[in-house]
Amino acid sequence: MGPPLRPGPEDVAIAERMVDRARCHEGSESMRNALLGVTPELVGMNWPTGSRLLSVDRSRRMIREILPRRAAAPVTPICASWLDMPLVNDCLDCVIGDGCFTVLENVEMHRRLWHELHRVLRPGRFLVIRLFVQPPERESVSAVFDDLAAGLIGSFHVFKWRLAMALHDNLDEGVCVSDIWGHWASAGVNAESLATRLNWPIREVRTIEVYRGSPARYTFPTLEQARKVLAECFDELACHVPEYELGDRCPTLLLAARD
């Protein structure tokens, strides 16, 4: 997988700046941080000196295979759900995550995660989160395939995300991952020919096969929908929109937990 599905250099740089901003606000050389998941780019980023890092992921395999190779700071793994973390209230100074809300199946689960993050953060402390959001006006599936045929899409990962968002109906249902593959298969696009014509790695194009038969669902709120829910627990301090293709759908927010 690659950007924008995973954070690119610009996303990592802004995450580092936001975490450092949180450290400066704290005036402390020893912050207790938590990472939602084991995103390699975030595990290996430049954490402030003296940082203590927890990594929360429900997959023991991901913890075992990624953390030892990628960690740039001392890290303690916790195998648990983000919605029910085995942490006491008000114990963290900063939480960071990438695309976490997209893998939750509906808006009620979004709300549960916002409230759980608020619970574990000390009042006034910080959340750094990259979101995947719908544009205000959802584009059509045909428009996505038209741009693919015209060579107007820069990478296959961008195509996949645009197709997923075009198929997304509402936050109560999201989009079934297998439907993304189904529309790709129905379009009859030849993967090898596409890769050759657009100079894309064939391995990148074939990543869509992972979606085949998957029961998982993705959710993509608009930025305003996300803000409406997060405002129940957090104050927004900053929003960075990256400059890469589809960056307007991948903003990183810096938030402070309300007292």
Side-chain angles (χ1 to χ4, degrees), residues 7-21 31 33-35 39-49 51 53 70-74 94-98 128 252:
E10 185 178 355
D11 300 307
V12 174
I14 191 61
E16 291 175 341
R17 289 199 297 271
M18 286 185 174
V19 170
D20 193 59
R21 176 175 169 180
M31 289 175 59
N33 309 294
L35 172 64
T39 305
E41 293 82 357
L42 298 182
V43 173
M45 76 180 201
N46 294 319
W47 292 89
T49 301
S51 291
L53 179 62
R70 299 298 184 100
C94 186
V95 176
I96 184 169
D98 188 80
V128 178
T252 296

PDB file of all heavy atoms in Angstrom, residues 7-21 31 33-35 39-49 51 53 70-74 94-98 128 252:
ATOM      1  N   PRO A   7       0.340   7.252   5.086  1.00  0.00           N
ATOM      2  CA  PRO A   7       0.890   8.617   5.107  1.00  0.00           C
ATOM      3  C   PRO A   7       2.166   8.729   4.285  1.00  0.00           C
ATOM      4  O   PRO A   7       3.046   7.880   4.347  1.00  0.00           O
ATOM      5  CB  PRO A   7       1.152   8.867   6.593  1.00  0.00           C
ATOM      6  CG  PRO A   7       1.230   7.508   7.215  1.00  0.00           C
ATOM      7  CD  PRO A   7       0.319   6.633   6.418  1.00  0.00           C
ATOM      8  N   GLY A   8       2.235   9.819   3.517  1.00  0.00           N
ATOM      9  CA  GLY A   8       3.437  10.126   2.758  1.00  0.00           C
ATOM     10  C   GLY A   8       4.341  11.057   3.536  1.00  0.00           C
ATOM     11  O   GLY A   8       4.045  11.427   4.679  1.00  0.00           O
ATOM     12  N   PRO A   9       5.450  11.479   2.944  1.00  0.00           N
ATOM     13  CA  PRO A   9       6.412  12.349   3.641  1.00  0.00           C
ATOM     14  C   PRO A   9       5.791  13.627   4.183  1.00  0.00           C
ATOM     15  O   PRO A   9       6.122  14.062   5.295  1.00  0.00           O
ATOM     16  CB  PRO A   9       7.464  12.640   2.566  1.00  0.00           C
ATOM     17  CG  PRO A   9       7.383  11.471   1.635  1.00  0.00           C
ATOM     18  CD  PRO A   9       5.943  11.073   1.607  1.00  0.00           C
ATOM     19  N   GLU A  10       4.870  14.237   3.420  1.00  0.00           N
ATOM     20  CA  GLU A  10       4.241  15.468   3.909  1.00  0.00           C
ATOM     21  C   GLU A  10       3.376  15.202   5.138  1.00  0.00           C
ATOM     22  O   GLU A  10       3.361  15.991   6.081  1.00  0.00           O
ATOM     23  CB  GLU A  10       3.397  16.100   2.802  1.00  0.00           C
ATOM     24  CG  GLU A  10       2.799  17.449   3.204  1.00  0.00           C
ATOM     25  CD  GLU A  10       1.996  18.107   2.095  1.00  0.00           C
ATOM     26  OE1 GLU A  10       1.976  17.566   0.964  1.00  0.00           O
ATOM     27  OE2 GLU A  10       1.373  19.157   2.364  1.00  0.00           O
ATOM     28  N   ASP A  11       2.675  14.075   5.140  1.00  0.00           N
ATOM     29  CA  ASP A  11       1.839  13.728   6.290  1.00  0.00           C
ATOM     30  C   ASP A  11       2.690  13.469   7.532  1.00  0.00           C
ATOM     31  O   ASP A  11       2.345  13.891   8.641  1.00  0.00           O
ATOM     32  CB  ASP A  11       1.008  12.477   5.980  1.00  0.00           C
ATOM     33  CG  ASP A  11       0.091  12.671   4.787  1.00  0.00           C
ATOM     34  OD1 ASP A  11      -0.668  13.656   4.785  1.00  0.00           O
ATOM     35  OD2 ASP A  11       0.151  11.846   3.871  1.00  0.00           O
ATOM     36  N   VAL A  12       3.796  12.769   7.339  1.00  0.00           N
ATOM     37  CA  VAL A  12       4.683  12.483   8.466  1.00  0.00           C
ATOM     38  C   VAL A  12       5.272  13.776   9.017  1.00  0.00           C
ATOM     39  O   VAL A  12       5.336  13.987  10.233  1.00  0.00           O
ATOM     40  CB  VAL A  12       5.804  11.505   8.048  1.00  0.00           C
ATOM     41  CG1 VAL A  12       6.818  11.332   9.185  1.00  0.00           C
ATOM     42  CG2 VAL A  12       5.213  10.154   7.660  1.00  0.00           C
ATOM     43  N   ALA A  13       5.682  14.666   8.115  1.00  0.00           N
ATOM     44  CA  ALA A  13       6.277  15.938   8.551  1.00  0.00           C
ATOM     45  C   ALA A  13       5.278  16.763   9.358  1.00  0.00           C
ATOM     46  O   ALA A  13       5.635  17.340  10.394  1.00  0.00           O
ATOM     47  CB  ALA A  13       6.776  16.728   7.339  1.00  0.00           C
ATOM     48  N   ILE A  14       4.025  16.806   8.915  1.00  0.00           N
ATOM     49  CA  ILE A  14       3.043  17.606   9.655  1.00  0.00           C
ATOM     50  C   ILE A  14       2.708  16.935  10.981  1.00  0.00           C
ATOM     51  O   ILE A  14       2.501  17.607  11.993  1.00  0.00           O
ATOM     52  CB  ILE A  14       1.770  17.865   8.812  1.00  0.00           C
ATOM     53  CG1 ILE A  14       0.890  18.922   9.502  1.00  0.00           C
ATOM     54  CG2 ILE A  14       0.982  16.606   8.590  1.00  0.00           C
ATOM     55  CD1 ILE A  14       1.534  20.270   9.681  1.00  0.00           C
ATOM     56  N   ALA A  15       2.682  15.607  11.011  1.00  0.00           N
ATOM     57  CA  ALA A  15       2.447  14.910  12.277  1.00  0.00           C
ATOM     58  C   ALA A  15       3.569  15.215  13.267  1.00  0.00           C
ATOM     59  O   ALA A  15       3.318  15.470  14.454  1.00  0.00           O
ATOM     60  CB  ALA A  15       2.338  13.407  12.035  1.00  0.00           C
ATOM     61  N   GLU A  16       4.816  15.214  12.784  1.00  0.00           N
ATOM     62  CA  GLU A  16       5.945  15.537  13.657  1.00  0.00           C
ATOM     63  C   GLU A  16       5.837  16.957  14.195  1.00  0.00           C
ATOM     64  O   GLU A  16       6.081  17.207  15.389  1.00  0.00           O
ATOM     65  CB  GLU A  16       7.260  15.350  12.897  1.00  0.00           C
ATOM     66  CG  GLU A  16       7.585  13.892  12.591  1.00  0.00           C
ATOM     67  CD  GLU A  16       8.819  13.733  11.727  1.00  0.00           C
ATOM     68  OE1 GLU A  16       9.233  14.722  11.069  1.00  0.00           O
ATOM     69  OE2 GLU A  16       9.376  12.624  11.684  1.00  0.00           O
ATOM     70  N   ARG A  17       5.446  17.894  13.324  1.00  0.00           N
ATOM     71  CA  ARG A  17       5.326  19.286  13.768  1.00  0.00           C
ATOM     72  C   ARG A  17       4.194  19.441  14.788  1.00  0.00           C
ATOM     73  O   ARG A  17       4.325  20.191  15.763  1.00  0.00           O
ATOM     74  CB  ARG A  17       5.082  20.212  12.566  1.00  0.00           C
ATOM     75  CG  ARG A  17       6.305  20.377  11.678  1.00  0.00           C
ATOM     76  CD  ARG A  17       6.195  21.611  10.803  1.00  0.00           C
ATOM     77  NE  ARG A  17       5.089  21.548   9.869  1.00  0.00           N
ATOM     78  CZ  ARG A  17       5.177  21.028   8.650  1.00  0.00           C
ATOM     79  NH1 ARG A  17       6.310  20.472   8.235  1.00  0.00           N
ATOM     80  NH2 ARG A  17       4.137  21.048   7.838  1.00  0.00           N
ATOM     81  N   MET A  18       3.098  18.747  14.568  1.00  0.00           N
ATOM     82  CA  MET A  18       1.976  18.871  15.493  1.00  0.00           C
ATOM     83  C   MET A  18       2.301  18.240  16.843  1.00  0.00           C
ATOM     84  O   MET A  18       1.945  18.781  17.898  1.00  0.00           O
ATOM     85  CB  MET A  18       0.722  18.237  14.888  1.00  0.00           C
ATOM     86  CG  MET A  18       0.097  19.065  13.778  1.00  0.00           C
ATOM     87  SD  MET A  18      -1.475  18.359  13.181  1.00  0.00           S
ATOM     88  CE  MET A  18      -2.022  19.644  12.047  1.00  0.00           C
ATOM     89  N   VAL A  19       2.980  17.101  16.837  1.00  0.00           N
ATOM     90  CA  VAL A  19       3.384  16.481  18.103  1.00  0.00           C
ATOM     91  C   VAL A  19       4.376  17.378  18.829  1.00  0.00           C
ATOM     92  O   VAL A  19       4.310  17.542  20.058  1.00  0.00           O
ATOM     93  CB  VAL A  19       3.969  15.073  17.860  1.00  0.00           C
ATOM     94  CG1 VAL A  19       4.602  14.522  19.132  1.00  0.00           C
ATOM     95  CG2 VAL A  19       2.884  14.128  17.368  1.00  0.00           C
ATOM     96  N   ASP A  20       5.303  17.980  18.072  1.00  0.00           N
ATOM     97  CA  ASP A  20       6.262  18.885  18.702  1.00  0.00           C
ATOM     98  C   ASP A  20       5.571  20.128  19.252  1.00  0.00           C
ATOM     99  O   ASP A  20       5.947  20.640  20.318  1.00  0.00           O
ATOM    100  CB  ASP A  20       7.339  19.287  17.692  1.00  0.00           C
ATOM    101  CG  ASP A  20       8.528  19.963  18.359  1.00  0.00           C
ATOM    102  OD1 ASP A  20       9.150  19.323  19.232  1.00  0.00           O
ATOM    103  OD2 ASP A  20       8.823  21.121  18.025  1.00  0.00           O
ATOM    104  N   ARG A  21       4.551  20.590  18.547  1.00  0.00           N
ATOM    105  CA  ARG A  21       3.762  21.729  19.052  1.00  0.00           C
ATOM    106  C   ARG A  21       3.095  21.356  20.373  1.00  0.00           C
ATOM    107  O   ARG A  21       3.062  22.164  21.309  1.00  0.00           O
ATOM    108  CB  ARG A  21       2.714  22.133  18.017  1.00  0.00           C
ATOM    109  CG  ARG A  21       1.767  23.240  18.480  1.00  0.00           C
ATOM    110  CD  ARG A  21       0.839  23.664  17.358  1.00  0.00           C
ATOM    111  NE  ARG A  21      -0.229  24.523  17.830  1.00  0.00           N
ATOM    112  CZ  ARG A  21      -1.187  25.048  17.053  1.00  0.00           C
ATOM    113  NH1 ARG A  21      -1.171  24.811  15.757  1.00  0.00           N
ATOM    114  NH2 ARG A  21      -2.135  25.811  17.571  1.00  0.00           N
ATOM    115  N   MET A  31       6.748  13.244  27.442  1.00  0.00           N
ATOM    116  CA  MET A  31       5.322  13.094  27.174  1.00  0.00           C
ATOM    117  C   MET A  31       4.957  11.628  27.059  1.00  0.00           C
ATOM    118  O   MET A  31       5.743  10.815  26.580  1.00  0.00           O
ATOM    119  CB  MET A  31       4.951  13.803  25.867  1.00  0.00           C
ATOM    120  CG  MET A  31       4.977  15.317  25.933  1.00  0.00           C
ATOM    121  SD  MET A  31       4.670  16.022  24.290  1.00  0.00           S
ATOM    122  CE  MET A  31       3.057  15.333  23.908  1.00  0.00           C
ATOM    123  N   ASN A  33       2.723   9.286  25.068  1.00  0.00           N
ATOM    124  CA  ASN A  33       1.991   9.302  23.802  1.00  0.00           C
ATOM    125  C   ASN A  33       1.420   7.924  23.493  1.00  0.00           C
ATOM    126  O   ASN A  33       1.922   6.902  23.967  1.00  0.00           O
ATOM    127  CB  ASN A  33       2.935   9.695  22.656  1.00  0.00           C
ATOM    128  CG  ASN A  33       3.700  10.963  22.945  1.00  0.00           C
ATOM    129  OD1 ASN A  33       3.131  12.040  23.040  1.00  0.00           O
ATOM    130  ND2 ASN A  33       5.022  10.835  23.108  1.00  0.00           N
ATOM    131  N   ALA A  34       0.385   7.919  22.669  1.00  0.00           N
ATOM    132  CA  ALA A  34      -0.168   6.651  22.188  1.00  0.00           C
ATOM    133  C   ALA A  34      -0.407   6.751  20.692  1.00  0.00           C
ATOM    134  O   ALA A  34      -0.870   7.781  20.186  1.00  0.00           O
ATOM    135  CB  ALA A  34      -1.463   6.305  22.912  1.00  0.00           C
ATOM    136  N   LEU A  35      -0.088   5.672  19.988  1.00  0.00           N
ATOM    137  CA  LEU A  35      -0.328   5.559  18.559  1.00  0.00           C
ATOM    138  C   LEU A  35      -1.462   4.569  18.344  1.00  0.00           C
ATOM    139  O   LEU A  35      -1.433   3.462  18.885  1.00  0.00           O
ATOM    140  CB  LEU A  35       0.941   5.079  17.854  1.00  0.00           C
ATOM    141  CG  LEU A  35       0.841   4.713  16.376  1.00  0.00           C
ATOM    142  CD1 LEU A  35       0.471   5.934  15.542  1.00  0.00           C
ATOM    143  CD2 LEU A  35       2.164   4.113  15.887  1.00  0.00           C
ATOM    144  N   THR A  39       1.015   1.945  12.248  1.00  0.00           N
ATOM    145  CA  THR A  39       1.377   2.545  10.964  1.00  0.00           C
ATOM    146  C   THR A  39       2.891   2.756  10.900  1.00  0.00           C
ATOM    147  O   THR A  39       3.443   3.537  11.681  1.00  0.00           O
ATOM    148  CB  THR A  39       0.661   3.894  10.782  1.00  0.00           C
ATOM    149  OG1 THR A  39      -0.750   3.700  10.937  1.00  0.00           O
ATOM    150  CG2 THR A  39       0.957   4.477   9.413  1.00  0.00           C
ATOM    151  N   PRO A  40       3.592   2.065   9.998  1.00  0.00           N
ATOM    152  CA  PRO A  40       5.063   2.105  10.017  1.00  0.00           C
ATOM    153  C   PRO A  40       5.642   3.510   9.941  1.00  0.00           C
ATOM    154  O   PRO A  40       6.622   3.831  10.618  1.00  0.00           O
ATOM    155  CB  PRO A  40       5.453   1.275   8.787  1.00  0.00           C
ATOM    156  CG  PRO A  40       4.303   0.350   8.566  1.00  0.00           C
ATOM    157  CD  PRO A  40       3.086   1.127   8.963  1.00  0.00           C
ATOM    158  N   GLU A  41       5.029   4.364   9.112  1.00  0.00           N
ATOM    159  CA  GLU A  41       5.560   5.714   8.941  1.00  0.00           C
ATOM    160  C   GLU A  41       5.476   6.526  10.233  1.00  0.00           C
ATOM    161  O   GLU A  41       6.314   7.396  10.487  1.00  0.00           O
ATOM    162  CB  GLU A  41       4.804   6.440   7.823  1.00  0.00           C
ATOM    163  CG  GLU A  41       5.031   5.842   6.437  1.00  0.00           C
ATOM    164  CD  GLU A  41       4.157   4.627   6.149  1.00  0.00           C
ATOM    165  OE1 GLU A  41       3.394   4.180   7.038  1.00  0.00           O
ATOM    166  OE2 GLU A  41       4.233   4.111   5.022  1.00  0.00           O
ATOM    167  N   LEU A  42       4.463   6.268  11.051  1.00  0.00           N
ATOM    168  CA  LEU A  42       4.304   6.996  12.309  1.00  0.00           C
ATOM    169  C   LEU A  42       5.119   6.354  13.424  1.00  0.00           C
ATOM    170  O   LEU A  42       5.678   7.053  14.272  1.00  0.00           O
ATOM    171  CB  LEU A  42       2.826   7.070  12.701  1.00  0.00           C
ATOM    172  CG  LEU A  42       1.924   7.806  11.708  1.00  0.00           C
ATOM    173  CD1 LEU A  42       0.493   7.859  12.230  1.00  0.00           C
ATOM    174  CD2 LEU A  42       2.444   9.205  11.412  1.00  0.00           C
ATOM    175  N   VAL A  43       5.206   5.037  13.427  1.00  0.00           N
ATOM    176  CA  VAL A  43       6.064   4.359  14.406  1.00  0.00           C
ATOM    177  C   VAL A  43       7.499   4.848  14.260  1.00  0.00           C
ATOM    178  O   VAL A  43       8.207   5.073  15.240  1.00  0.00           O
ATOM    179  CB  VAL A  43       5.996   2.828  14.217  1.00  0.00           C
ATOM    180  CG1 VAL A  43       7.024   2.125  15.107  1.00  0.00           C
ATOM    181  CG2 VAL A  43       4.603   2.308  14.545  1.00  0.00           C
ATOM    182  N   GLY A  44       7.932   5.033  13.009  1.00  0.00           N
ATOM    183  CA  GLY A  44       9.324   5.383  12.754  1.00  0.00           C
ATOM    184  C   GLY A  44       9.601   6.864  12.621  1.00  0.00           C
ATOM    185  O   GLY A  44      10.728   7.239  12.286  1.00  0.00           O
ATOM    186  N   MET A  45       8.619   7.722  12.891  1.00  0.00           N
ATOM    187  CA  MET A  45       8.860   9.152  12.730  1.00  0.00           C
ATOM    188  C   MET A  45       9.720   9.686  13.877  1.00  0.00           C
ATOM    189  O   MET A  45      10.012   8.982  14.846  1.00  0.00           O
ATOM    190  CB  MET A  45       7.534   9.909  12.645  1.00  0.00           C
ATOM    191  CG  MET A  45       6.819  10.101  13.947  1.00  0.00           C
ATOM    192  SD  MET A  45       5.261  11.024  13.702  1.00  0.00           S
ATOM    193  CE  MET A  45       4.976  11.639  15.382  1.00  0.00           C
ATOM    194  N   ASN A  46      10.121  10.938  13.773  1.00  0.00           N
ATOM    195  CA  ASN A  46      10.965  11.547  14.804  1.00  0.00           C
ATOM    196  C   ASN A  46      10.118  11.993  15.992  1.00  0.00           C
ATOM    197  O   ASN A  46       9.482  13.050  15.952  1.00  0.00           O
ATOM    198  CB  ASN A  46      11.721  12.752  14.219  1.00  0.00           C
ATOM    199  CG  ASN A  46      12.721  12.336  13.164  1.00  0.00           C
ATOM    200  OD1 ASN A  46      13.418  11.334  13.318  1.00  0.00           O
ATOM    201  ND2 ASN A  46      12.790  13.085  12.078  1.00  0.00           N
ATOM    202  N   TRP A  47      10.089  11.172  17.009  1.00  0.00           N
ATOM    203  CA  TRP A  47       9.359  11.505  18.215  1.00  0.00           C
ATOM    204  C   TRP A  47      10.224  12.404  19.101  1.00  0.00           C
ATOM    205  O   TRP A  47      11.450  12.287  19.105  1.00  0.00           O
ATOM    206  CB  TRP A  47       8.979  10.237  18.979  1.00  0.00           C
ATOM    207  CG  TRP A  47       7.963   9.416  18.255  1.00  0.00           C
ATOM    208  CD1 TRP A  47       8.196   8.433  17.344  1.00  0.00           C
ATOM    209  CD2 TRP A  47       6.541   9.543  18.361  1.00  0.00           C
ATOM    210  NE1 TRP A  47       7.020   7.921  16.873  1.00  0.00           N
ATOM    211  CE2 TRP A  47       5.984   8.580  17.483  1.00  0.00           C
ATOM    212  CE3 TRP A  47       5.696  10.357  19.109  1.00  0.00           C
ATOM    213  CZ2 TRP A  47       4.605   8.425  17.341  1.00  0.00           C
ATOM    214  CZ3 TRP A  47       4.330  10.204  18.969  1.00  0.00           C
ATOM    215  CH2 TRP A  47       3.792   9.250  18.093  1.00  0.00           C
ATOM    216  N   PRO A  48       9.605  13.332  19.855  1.00  0.00           N
ATOM    217  CA  PRO A  48      10.389  14.202  20.736  1.00  0.00           C
ATOM    218  C   PRO A  48      11.246  13.410  21.709  1.00  0.00           C
ATOM    219  O   PRO A  48      10.859  12.332  22.168  1.00  0.00           O
ATOM    220  CB  PRO A  48       9.310  15.003  21.483  1.00  0.00           C
ATOM    221  CG  PRO A  48       8.130  14.992  20.565  1.00  0.00           C
ATOM    222  CD  PRO A  48       8.166  13.655  19.887  1.00  0.00           C
ATOM    223  N   THR A  49      12.416  13.936  22.019  1.00  0.00           N
ATOM    224  CA  THR A  49      13.317  13.288  22.970  1.00  0.00           C
ATOM    225  C   THR A  49      12.594  13.027  24.292  1.00  0.00           C
ATOM    226  O   THR A  49      11.892  13.904  24.805  1.00  0.00           O
ATOM    227  CB  THR A  49      14.545  14.179  23.226  1.00  0.00           C
ATOM    228  OG1 THR A  49      15.212  14.414  21.976  1.00  0.00           O
ATOM    229  CG2 THR A  49      15.507  13.511  24.197  1.00  0.00           C
ATOM    230  N   SER A  51      10.216  10.840  24.726  1.00  0.00           N
ATOM    231  CA  SER A  51       8.845  10.367  24.543  1.00  0.00           C
ATOM    232  C   SER A  51       8.686   8.932  25.005  1.00  0.00           C
ATOM    233  O   SER A  51       9.561   8.089  24.791  1.00  0.00           O
ATOM    234  CB  SER A  51       8.446  10.450  23.056  1.00  0.00           C
ATOM    235  OG  SER A  51       8.312  11.779  22.638  1.00  0.00           O
ATOM    236  N   LEU A  53       6.024   5.910  24.353  1.00  0.00           N
ATOM    237  CA  LEU A  53       5.041   5.624  23.315  1.00  0.00           C
ATOM    238  C   LEU A  53       4.352   4.285  23.561  1.00  0.00           C
ATOM    239  O   LEU A  53       5.008   3.260  23.754  1.00  0.00           O
ATOM    240  CB  LEU A  53       5.729   5.609  21.944  1.00  0.00           C
ATOM    241  CG  LEU A  53       4.853   5.292  20.727  1.00  0.00           C
ATOM    242  CD1 LEU A  53       3.769   6.337  20.551  1.00  0.00           C
ATOM    243  CD2 LEU A  53       5.729   5.199  19.474  1.00  0.00           C
ATOM    244  N   ARG A  70      10.480  -1.022  13.148  1.00  0.00           N
ATOM    245  CA  ARG A  70      10.216   0.348  12.744  1.00  0.00           C
ATOM    246  C   ARG A  70      10.317   1.375  13.865  1.00  0.00           C
ATOM    247  O   ARG A  70      10.402   2.559  13.587  1.00  0.00           O
ATOM    248  CB  ARG A  70       8.807   0.438  12.127  1.00  0.00           C
ATOM    249  CG  ARG A  70       8.606  -0.420  10.887  1.00  0.00           C
ATOM    250  CD  ARG A  70       9.517  -0.034   9.748  1.00  0.00           C
ATOM    251  NE  ARG A  70       9.247  -0.792   8.544  1.00  0.00           N
ATOM    252  CZ  ARG A  70       8.543  -0.356   7.511  1.00  0.00           C
ATOM    253  NH1 ARG A  70       8.046   0.865   7.543  1.00  0.00           N
ATOM    254  NH2 ARG A  70       8.333  -1.119   6.464  1.00  0.00           N
ATOM    255  N   ALA A  71      10.245   0.954  15.100  1.00  0.00           N
ATOM    256  CA  ALA A  71      10.131   1.909  16.198  1.00  0.00           C
ATOM    257  C   ALA A  71      11.356   2.809  16.307  1.00  0.00           C
ATOM    258  O   ALA A  71      12.495   2.341  16.331  1.00  0.00           O
ATOM    259  CB  ALA A  71       9.912   1.169  17.507  1.00  0.00           C
ATOM    260  N   ALA A  72      11.109   4.135  16.354  1.00  0.00           N
ATOM    261  CA  ALA A  72      12.185   5.107  16.507  1.00  0.00           C
ATOM    262  C   ALA A  72      12.275   5.614  17.935  1.00  0.00           C
ATOM    263  O   ALA A  72      13.168   6.393  18.257  1.00  0.00           O
ATOM    264  CB  ALA A  72      11.958   6.285  15.554  1.00  0.00           C
ATOM    265  N   ALA A  73      11.348   5.178  18.795  1.00  0.00           N
ATOM    266  CA  ALA A  73      11.351   5.559  20.205  1.00  0.00           C
ATOM    267  C   ALA A  73      10.934   4.332  21.006  1.00  0.00           C
ATOM    268  O   ALA A  73      10.324   3.421  20.453  1.00  0.00           O
ATOM    269  CB  ALA A  73      10.378   6.717  20.450  1.00  0.00           C
ATOM    270  N   PRO A  74      11.266   4.271  22.291  1.00  0.00           N
ATOM    271  CA  PRO A  74      10.817   3.137  23.106  1.00  0.00           C
ATOM    272  C   PRO A  74       9.300   3.009  23.028  1.00  0.00           C
ATOM    273  O   PRO A  74       8.568   3.983  23.232  1.00  0.00           O
ATOM    274  CB  PRO A  74      11.279   3.519  24.513  1.00  0.00           C
ATOM    275  CG  PRO A  74      12.423   4.456  24.291  1.00  0.00           C
ATOM    276  CD  PRO A  74      12.076   5.233  23.058  1.00  0.00           C
ATOM    277  N   CYS A  94      -0.690  12.841  24.473  1.00  0.00           N
ATOM    278  CA  CYS A  94      -0.908  12.986  23.030  1.00  0.00           C
ATOM    279  C   CYS A  94      -1.260  11.627  22.429  1.00  0.00           C
ATOM    280  O   CYS A  94      -0.648  10.616  22.774  1.00  0.00           O
ATOM    281  CB  CYS A  94       0.343  13.554  22.353  1.00  0.00           C
ATOM    282  SG  CYS A  94       0.141  13.934  20.592  1.00  0.00           S
ATOM    283  N   VAL A  95      -2.252  11.622  21.548  1.00  0.00           N
ATOM    284  CA  VAL A  95      -2.624  10.434  20.779  1.00  0.00           C
ATOM    285  C   VAL A  95      -2.512  10.791  19.310  1.00  0.00           C
ATOM    286  O   VAL A  95      -2.897  11.889  18.888  1.00  0.00           O
ATOM    287  CB  VAL A  95      -4.050   9.957  21.108  1.00  0.00           C
ATOM    288  CG1 VAL A  95      -4.440   8.784  20.206  1.00  0.00           C
ATOM    289  CG2 VAL A  95      -4.176   9.557  22.573  1.00  0.00           C
ATOM    290  N   ILE A  96      -1.988   9.865  18.511  1.00  0.00           N
ATOM    291  CA  ILE A  96      -1.843  10.102  17.084  1.00  0.00           C
ATOM    292  C   ILE A  96      -2.384   8.897  16.321  1.00  0.00           C
ATOM    293  O   ILE A  96      -2.230   7.748  16.763  1.00  0.00           O
ATOM    294  CB  ILE A  96      -0.365  10.381  16.714  1.00  0.00           C
ATOM    295  CG1 ILE A  96      -0.230  10.724  15.233  1.00  0.00           C
ATOM    296  CG2 ILE A  96       0.539   9.232  17.101  1.00  0.00           C
ATOM    297  CD1 ILE A  96       1.150  11.265  14.854  1.00  0.00           C
ATOM    298  N   GLY A  97      -3.039   9.161  15.204  1.00  0.00           N
ATOM    299  CA  GLY A  97      -3.586   8.075  14.401  1.00  0.00           C
ATOM    300  C   GLY A  97      -3.708   8.472  12.944  1.00  0.00           C
ATOM    301  O   GLY A  97      -3.713   9.655  12.602  1.00  0.00           O
ATOM    302  N   ASP A  98      -3.845   7.473  12.086  1.00  0.00           N
ATOM    303  CA  ASP A  98      -3.909   7.712  10.645  1.00  0.00           C
ATOM    304  C   ASP A  98      -5.068   6.929  10.042  1.00  0.00           C
ATOM    305  O   ASP A  98      -5.046   5.697  10.026  1.00  0.00           O
ATOM    306  CB  ASP A  98      -2.604   7.297   9.964  1.00  0.00           C
ATOM    307  CG  ASP A  98      -2.563   7.703   8.508  1.00  0.00           C
ATOM    308  OD1 ASP A  98      -2.270   8.883   8.230  1.00  0.00           O
ATOM    309  OD2 ASP A  98      -2.864   6.855   7.645  1.00  0.00           O
ATOM    310  N   VAL A 128      -3.713  14.087  17.381  1.00  0.00           N
ATOM    311  CA  VAL A 128      -3.278  14.363  16.010  1.00  0.00           C
ATOM    312  C   VAL A 128      -3.833  13.240  15.143  1.00  0.00           C
ATOM    313  O   VAL A 128      -3.475  12.074  15.342  1.00  0.00           O
ATOM    314  CB  VAL A 128      -1.741  14.424  15.904  1.00  0.00           C
ATOM    315  CG1 VAL A 128      -1.315  14.662  14.455  1.00  0.00           C
ATOM    316  CG2 VAL A 128      -1.173  15.504  16.822  1.00  0.00           C
ATOM    317  N   THR A 252      -5.078  16.526   8.111  1.00  0.00           N
ATOM    318  CA  THR A 252      -4.613  16.169   9.453  1.00  0.00           C
ATOM    319  C   THR A 252      -5.056  17.260  10.424  1.00  0.00           C
ATOM    320  O   THR A 252      -4.803  18.441  10.191  1.00  0.00           O
ATOM    321  CB  THR A 252      -3.083  16.024   9.495  1.00  0.00           C
ATOM    322  OG1 THR A 252      -2.683  14.928   8.659  1.00  0.00           O
ATOM    323  CG2 THR A 252      -2.606  15.731  10.915  1.00  0.00           C
TER     324      THR A 252
END
